[in-house]
Amino acid sequence: MQLTVWTYEGPPHVGAMRVATGMEGLHYVLHAPQGDTYADLLFTMIERRNQRPPVTYTTFAARDLGKDTAELFKTAARGAYERFKPQAMIVGASCTGSLIQDDPGGLAKALSLPVPVVTVDLPAYQRKENWGAAETFYQLTRALAGPNAPPPGSQRPARPAGQRPTCNLLGPTALGFRHRDDVREITMLLNQLGIDVNVTAPMGATPADLARLGDADFNVVMYPEIASLAASWLARMFHQPFTKVVPIGVSATREFIKEVAALAGVDPEPVLKSASSRLTWYSHSVDSTYLTNKRVFIFGDATHVVAAARIASQEIGFKVVGLGTYSREFGREIREAAKLYDVEPLITDDYLEVEAKVAELHPELVLGTQMERHIAKRLGVPCAVISAPVHVQDFPARYAPQMGFEGANVIFDTWVHPLMMGLEEHLLQMFRDDFEFKDGAMPSHLGHAPAVEVTAPAVAPDVAIAEVTTTTVTTETTTTTVVWAADAEKELRKIPFFVRGKARRNTERYASEIGVATITVETLYDAKAHFSR
Amino acid sequence: MTVQLQGCAAPAAQDLAAPAVRHERGQHEVFCGLTGIVWLHRKIQDAFFLVVGSRTCAHLIQSAAGVMIFAEPRFGTAIMEEKDLAGLTDANDELDRIVTQLIARRPDIKLLFLVGSCPSEVIKLDLSRAALRLSKRFMPQVRVLSYTGSGLETTFTQGEDACLASLVPELPASTSTETSLLVVGSLADVVEDQFIRIFDALGIKSVQFLPPRNSASLPSVGPNTKFLLAQPFLADTARELENRGATRLSAPFPLGVEGTTAWLRAAADAFGVDAALFDKVTQPARSRAERALENFRQDLAGRRIFFFPDSQLEIPLARFLSRELSMQLVEVGTPYLHREHLAEELKLLPAGVAITEGQDVDLQLDRCRAARPDLAVCGLGLANPLEAEGMTTKWAIELVFTPIQGYDQASDLAELFARPLVRRAKLVA
């Protein structure tokens, strides 16, 4: 068992629902107990969809367990087919449904429905939401496109002269972070390159569309967490190459343009010359100088984290002090990225571990999920959301892609917004006792009342940080307790709020390294000199 | 699935026969009882709710709790993993480990509920024995209890019933020979305080509440306890209280002016309060509430309302809306109908009202679409899709999270139903 207060991902059947709900003409019959219909409101409320998800639940209750729950499933599946007349169905079980072992696949087969019925077996006690989405999309692709695969060993016929190259966009689903607008942005970009989109899937596709996935020349993997499995299978069966670069950020987008242009056999130069993002100039303009080496911690799904780290470091000039992911399946990608920034990767789905890491690193900005927003709020650190899980405010009405050149514009605004603006930051360092713009106050452009300075977090004694006078510092060999002299403590408070934690930690580390028991004003400035480069 | 009608003949007189109730089985679009945790953890301030379940359970509470999860919630989930199911680890040892970890982390917890879920029930993990064992280990610091919030056994608010029923055997025995009053069911603090003032003015001095605001102030119970249900979904809790010798006072529920008056009167009668005093105490609040309700009558009178099943509050709400605001009841769905506890309510409903117990959501949606009510009361999974079809909806869960009981909340309650209609009228198409 695992103690969980917050879970980064839902169970795998929610992933299957994201695929089914993203598609059209597909129905999902889910063997699940009463109450599991809560998942509907993820789609109707958070994503604000105007239709019920195409999911029929058996909603069995205790009194049904003594009877024939298999019959209940068959009735539900038959009823769903008759009412919704889908082009294809998927059947499966939720976590409790899988415990009663009714075999939805076999039962559905016995009904001999006149449409393809795809069974998705999702191990609810091992796997999670993104895996469920990936597996469902893969099984659907296999079942629906499979029959159209060329015989093994045959070559892809050459594209007729004069016909524009085509690709599929793979990965966008319902409830995906900014999937709606990313699809639009990338479609536009491909169109500029002279490449047509054959099928976008799962989002917006019908089962009939999936059947013609093989018609495209290559695949664009927009979200590897969801599309990798299907794309690899398509590469094997249809000899369709697929893209490796995810176009989030200016450099990544430019690389992506070159990659797809090569796959499509078109010239990328006109687009590379004409299109660009305002991020590049905004980031170069002197107003952004104060962003240099701001310490940033990044967490989320692997794709968005890897992309964000690159943007943060190379395009905005932040310093990446930590990164991590909850996508265990993509641990390798994260470990590689961590090497680039010389940080320890954090691969965990335990939010308490993430919180402890943020507290330890004292970043000036956290880029994360909805949950990191919470952690950052508690620790008084500015934060922006870069990845699912997200709440309703991150399914905005306005156009807000993360991908492509417009995505980079959105990202620049979103990430810089929570930081204190440059002039205010300077003034705070010079004049500390203003009655209104005081130390630790939220940036005044955010319009909030001054934040209360965070003392030890209420949650977790194990992540107690910063604002205690006596601190135990653990070094490799010894454990020493250092004490702050009153005047040093007072001097420390003159250091701006957002870097004070870092200064405190460095000073304590320095003191314990040189064997000083009481930190004085002198020790503070010695440490400052020691760590300045 | 199956639809059967019982007692088809419309009752000749309201007090002779109970109204016809349609029973429906099929897909239920409802929450499970785990959702009760979302408000119970705020009501009982030193309690922690540990769900023993799957990732789905954790995800449900997180989704239902919305942004509230961000304020260090007093609930969590022990997520069962493959090794727990395969019997590779002893589930009880695992549970002990988690509880120990939790109590070390949250030393402020005084009362810990182990909450059963569908998966824990299907694999027959005995949480009541685990609770006994853990209680022994952690007493007197922490008392450990268990109840089920699974979708197999409970629908939405029934989770509160199961929780309170598990508390009843723990209540101290009342030693007093004087009759005392126990108000049962979670009420907003502000509502509780209003009722305390009214009971006080009526001369009913010994009034206690279940659930209490913290575990140190558990009410006592015994043969001299008379209890009033403040909520309609407390079947098991009432039975447990009766097992302890307490007597239920039969009354409608304190929604609206009429319901509140009748509810208070049931207590007043049981405690021999003089009728003149009752009128003197309640009259000012009654007139004030009636005046406030008047503002909403023109928005609501004559409007047709359709209730999908959700919380068991539907019948009292329908009674209030039809009698005090002249709304027309198209269909009143309830997940479960306790005929005895709702007897006083059913008497007050208009003759021939269509009541449905249980649900087959697709058929019910067909009926709703055919009837085109002015207002549909439904869950969040149905609300936006129905709005998109041009129907006006009121999402039901809000009725559980808003102070709606008592005189001074009557107009707030009416406003909850008027608001979506006012909004639809206000927005350009």
Side-chain angles (χ1 to χ4, degrees):
Chain A
M1 286 183 196
Q2 192 201 353
L3 178 60
T4 312
V5 182
W6 167 271
T7 154
Y8 282 98
E9 290 182 75
H13 74 258
V14 169
M17 282 186 72
R18 287 176 52 186
V19 170
T21 306
M23 287 181 60
E24 280 157 30
L26 178 76
H27 201 85
Y28 185 14
V29 182
L30 181 63
H31 205 17
Q34 165 178 264
D36 279 3
T37 52
Y38 82 85
D40 282 358
L41 66 88
L42 303 171
F43 300 94
T44 61
M45 297 302 289
I46 296 180
E47 203 182 5
R48 280 187 238 248
R49 287 196 168 246
N50 60 6
Q51 284 177 9
R52 296 176 64 212
V55 183
T56 294
Y57 305 78
T58 54
T59 61
F60 54 85
R63 60 178 172 276
D64 300 313
L65 292 179
K67 292 180 268 165
D68 198 353
T69 48
E71 195 51 46
L72 198 66
F73 178 85
K74 279 158 71 175
T75 314
R78 203 183 294 119
Y81 174 74
E82 277 159 18
R83 177 172 282 268
F84 300 104
K85 291 280 168 11
Q87 291 177 25
M89 296 215 312
I90 52 177
V91 296
S94 77
C95 49
T96 307
S98 67
L99 292 176
I100 59 175
Q101 300 184 330
D102 276 336
D103 182 22
L107 292 170
K109 202 151 275 155
L111 292 176
S112 330
L113 296 172
V115 293
V117 177
V118 182
T119 308
V120 283
D121 267 321
L122 305 172
Y125 298 91
Q126 292 168 3
R127 303 295 192 151
K128 290 176 281 188
E129 180 177 330
N130 280 337
W131 188 90
E135 173 71 10
T136 304
F137 183 42
Y138 162 63
Q139 294 293 355
L140 276 170
T141 304
R142 232 175 64 138
L144 298 166
N148 300 333
S154 55
Q155 295 278 319
R156 269 193 85 75
R159 190 170 62 244
Q163 195 172 310
R164 277 162 62 111
T166 60
C167 68
N168 300 312
L169 297 187
L170 303 183
T173 62
L175 212 66
F177 176 63
R178 308 294 167 88
H179 288 193
R180 179 194 69 194
D181 298 340
D182 284 349
V183 166
R184 187 171 139 196
E185 186 69 16
I186 295 306
T187 305
M188 213 161 63
L189 194 60
L190 291 166
N191 193 37
Q192 283 172 7
L193 284 162
I195 304 168
D196 288 333
V197 173
N198 175 51
V199 172
T200 300
M203 190 131 90
T206 61
D209 291 334
L210 292 192
R212 53 186 191 84
L213 279 173
D215 296 350
D217 297 315
F218 66 98
N219 286 315
V220 169
V221 174
M222 294 180 68
Y223 307 101
E225 276 84 352
I226 292 156
S228 281
L229 267 179
S232 307
W233 181 85
L234 287 165
R236 284 199 305 280
M237 302 300 288
F238 290 91
H239 314 292
Q240 288 170 320
F242 57 89
T243 58
K244 313 282 190 303
V245 179
V246 178
I248 303 179
V250 179
S251 331
T253 300
R254 296 178 71 84
E255 255 172 49
F256 172 81
I257 289 170
K258 288 178 198 152
E259 189 186 28
V260 289
L263 291 177
V266 299
D267 180 12
E269 286 309 318
V271 174
L272 286 174
K273 274 207 194 86
S274 67
S276 75
S277 168
R278 268 175 231 113
L279 176 143
T280 313
W281 165 240
Y282 271 46
S283 204
H284 277 89
S285 79
V286 293
D287 191 50
S288 297
T289 311
Y290 82 109
L291 299 175
T292 313
N293 283 335
K294 280 221 180 277
R295 301 158 41 77
V296 56
F297 176 83
I298 307 173
F299 196 83
D301 69 25
T303 300
H304 285 90
V305 165
V306 171
R310 183 172 177 186
I311 299 167
S313 172
Q314 297 175 10
E315 297 176 18
I316 303 188
F318 292 147
K319 180 174 173 53
V320 176
V321 294
L323 58 78
T325 186
Y326 57 80
S327 320
R328 285 184 187 279
E329 291 89 347
F330 288 77
R332 196 167 51 86
E333 282 80 349
I334 286 292
R335 276 188 284 272
E336 273 166 21
K339 274 187 214 141
L340 297 176
Y341 310 103
D342 195 23
V343 295
E344 274 296 307
L346 177 67
I347 297 166
T348 182
D349 57 1
D350 182 348
Y351 108 94
L352 297 173
E353 255 184 73
V354 181
E355 184 183 63
K357 196 69 182 177
V358 175
E360 179 200 324
L361 292 171
H362 292 295
E364 292 163 75
L365 175 67
V366 172
L367 301 174
T369 71
Q370 180 71 8
M371 196 56 212
E372 280 65 51
R373 179 136 67 184
H374 167 45
I375 292 170
K377 183 176 163 197
R378 178 177 295 151
L379 299 174
V381 185
C383 178
V385 170
I386 60 155
S387 160
V390 292
H391 208 37
V392 61
Q393 63 270 46
D394 279 301
F395 286 93
R398 67 176 185 280
Y399 185 54
Q402 297 287 290
M403 289 186 177
F405 295 125
E406 183 59 25
N409 294 341
V410 170
I411 284 172
F412 183 87
D413 289 347
T414 311
W415 295 8
V416 173
H417 178 79
L419 297 171
M420 186 168 285
M421 291 166 79
L423 176 62
E424 186 159 25
E425 187 178 309
H426 284 297
L427 288 172
L428 256 185
Q429 291 182 50
M430 290 177 67
F431 313 110
R432 317 198 44 77
D433 295 322
D434 189 282
F435 67 93
E436 190 178 359
F437 305 106
K438 55 171 137 325
D439 189 31
M442 291 290 283
S444 64
H445 75 275
L446 298 180
H448 292 306
V452 183
E453 188 166 347
V454 180
T455 50
V459 226
D462 46 335
V463 292
I465 44 143
E467 310 298 327
V468 280
T469 324
T470 307
T471 312
T472 304
V473 178
T474 312
T475 59
E476 275 168 26
T477 46
T478 55
T479 301
T480 13
T481 300
V482 289
V483 181
W484 284 78
D487 58 342
E489 182 78 31
K490 211 167 145 193
E491 197 72 10
L492 179 70
R493 302 195 81 80
K494 294 178 189 163
I495 293 166
F497 183 68
F498 37 86
V499 286
R500 193 180 301 148
K502 168 87 174 156
R504 175 187 288 278
R505 203 164 54 109
N506 278 350
T507 309
E508 284 164 0
R509 203 169 102 202
Y510 176 75
S512 72
E513 272 169 17
I514 62 164
V516 165
T518 306
I519 294 171
T520 62
V521 175
E522 290 307 307
T523 327
L524 181 67
Y525 285 113
D526 285 348
K528 185 176 182 233
H530 178 77
F531 287 106
S532 74
R533 256 154 288 157
Chain B
M1 310 191 167
T2 51
V3 176
Q4 37 174 306
L5 278 166
Q6 286 188 349
C8 285
Q14 284 177 22
D15 53 349
L16 285 181
V21 177
R22 176 206 297 266
H23 295 270
E24 218 168 34
R25 287 296 327 283
Q27 180 177 324
H28 281 44
E29 184 84 17
V30 291
F31 281 127
C32 67
L34 293 181
T35 328
I37 293 171
V38 172
W39 65 91
L40 283 169
H41 86 285
R42 286 295 173 88
K43 183 73 198 176
I44 316 176
Q45 290 166 10
D46 55 358
F48 192 98
F49 295 79
L50 180 66
V51 178
V52 182
S54 64
R55 186 166 301 282
T56 310
C57 307
H59 196 238
L60 155 82
I61 304 181
Q62 174 172 316
S63 310
V67 291
M68 199 175 73
I69 187 126
F70 297 117
E72 180 57 7
R74 291 180 293 263
F75 52 79
T77 309
I79 295 185
M80 296 193 294
E81 294 163 321
E82 193 69 15
K83 58 183 198 286
D84 300 304
L85 300 176
L88 294 178
T89 49
D90 187 315
N92 284 303
D93 291 346
E94 280 292 286
L95 192 55
D96 290 9
R97 181 179 63 79
I98 299 256
V99 168
T100 309
Q101 185 189 349
L102 180 67
I103 290 175
R105 192 180 139 76
R106 296 293 303 266
D108 50 322
I109 299 168
K110 298 282 179 284
L111 178 60
L112 175 67
F113 287 102
L114 304 179
V115 189
S117 65
C118 304
S120 74
E121 263 169 41
V122 169
I123 67 163
K124 306 209 181 311
L125 186 58
D126 191 341
L127 290 184
S128 61
R129 265 191 28 213
L132 268 178
R133 181 178 68 239
L134 288 161
S135 241
K136 239 178 238 160
R137 187 191 302 177
F138 290 105
M139 281 290 251
Q141 189 204 340
V142 187
R143 185 200 311 259
V144 185
L145 299 176
S146 76
Y147 72 89
T148 180
S150 80
L152 296 173
E153 298 279 354
T154 59
T155 305
F156 194 30
T157 48
Q158 285 175 330
E160 174 170 333
D161 186 28
C163 173
L164 299 189
S166 80
L167 257 179
V168 173
E170 302 297 310
L171 302 182
S174 165
T175 47
S176 165
T177 50
E178 222 172 289
T179 312
S180 68
L181 179 66
L182 181 62
V183 177
V184 189
S186 285
L187 291 171
D189 293 345
V190 59
V191 175
E192 217 172 87
D193 294 341
Q194 288 170 10
F195 284 149
I196 289 173
R197 285 198 295 273
I198 295 176
F199 286 130
D200 200 50
L202 291 174
I204 304 174
K205 296 295 177 198
S206 170
V207 184
Q208 303 177 96
F209 290 84
L210 181 69
R213 293 187 198 184
N214 67 66
S215 65
S217 53
L218 289 179
S220 57
V221 66
N224 294 318
T225 307
K226 296 200 186 298
F227 68 92
L228 258 184
L229 295 181
Q231 302 282 10
F233 43 73
L234 297 170
D236 290 349
T237 308
R239 195 169 49 243
E240 287 289 337
L241 285 167
E242 280 159 0
N243 289 344
R244 298 280 309 260
T247 335
R248 183 176 70 90
L249 300 176
S250 181
F253 293 91
L255 298 173
V257 180
E258 183 184 41
T260 303
T261 305
W263 187 78
L264 290 169
R265 197 187 301 277
D269 290 349
F271 284 77
V273 176
D274 178 63
L277 176 64
F278 184 84
D279 280 344
K280 186 170 155 251
V281 169
T282 56
Q283 196 50 55
R286 277 156 71 177
S287 334
R288 186 170 60 205
E290 271 159 11
R291 274 201 310 278
L293 272 184
E294 202 49 53
N295 298 330
F296 298 100
R297 190 158 293 131
Q298 71 174 37
D299 294 327
L300 294 173
R303 301 292 194 119
R304 299 164 65 248
I305 189 166
F306 190 111
F307 283 89
F308 284 83
D310 191 60
S311 62
Q312 299 184 46
L313 281 163
E314 295 82 5
I315 287 175
L317 288 170
R319 179 263 303 159
F320 162 68
L321 293 170
S322 72
R323 291 176 65 94
E324 298 186 43
L325 292 154
S326 311
M327 291 190 84
Q328 303 285 319
L329 307 176
V330 179
E331 176 172 335
V332 183
T334 179
Y336 176 70
L337 177 62
H338 195 295
R339 287 175 171 276
E340 199 186 322
H341 289 180
L342 283 150
E344 300 300 313
E345 291 285 352
L346 292 171
K347 282 183 203 160
L348 296 173
L349 281 180
V353 62
I355 298 177
T356 311
E357 186 183 16
Q359 185 175 37
D360 183 329
V361 70
D362 287 317
L363 297 182
Q364 198 165 33
L365 279 166
D366 288 346
R367 293 198 298 274
C368 183
R369 289 181 183 119
R372 298 298 294 187
D374 295 303
L375 192 62
V377 183
C378 61
L380 297 174
L382 299 179
N384 273 336
L386 286 176
E387 291 277 351
E389 290 180 29
M391 274 184 261
T392 306
T393 62
K394 163 80 216 97
W395 43 285
I397 191 170
E398 198 178 11
L399 297 159
V400 179
F401 293 147
T402 311
I404 56 170
Q405 291 85 359
Y407 289 124
D408 289 311
Q409 283 65 241
S411 62
D412 299 343
L413 179 55
E415 206 263 337
L416 286 179
F417 292 92
R419 194 186 303 161
L421 292 165
V422 170
R423 182 168 183 77
R424 180 160 290 256
K426 199 174 158 88
L427 298 181
V428 292

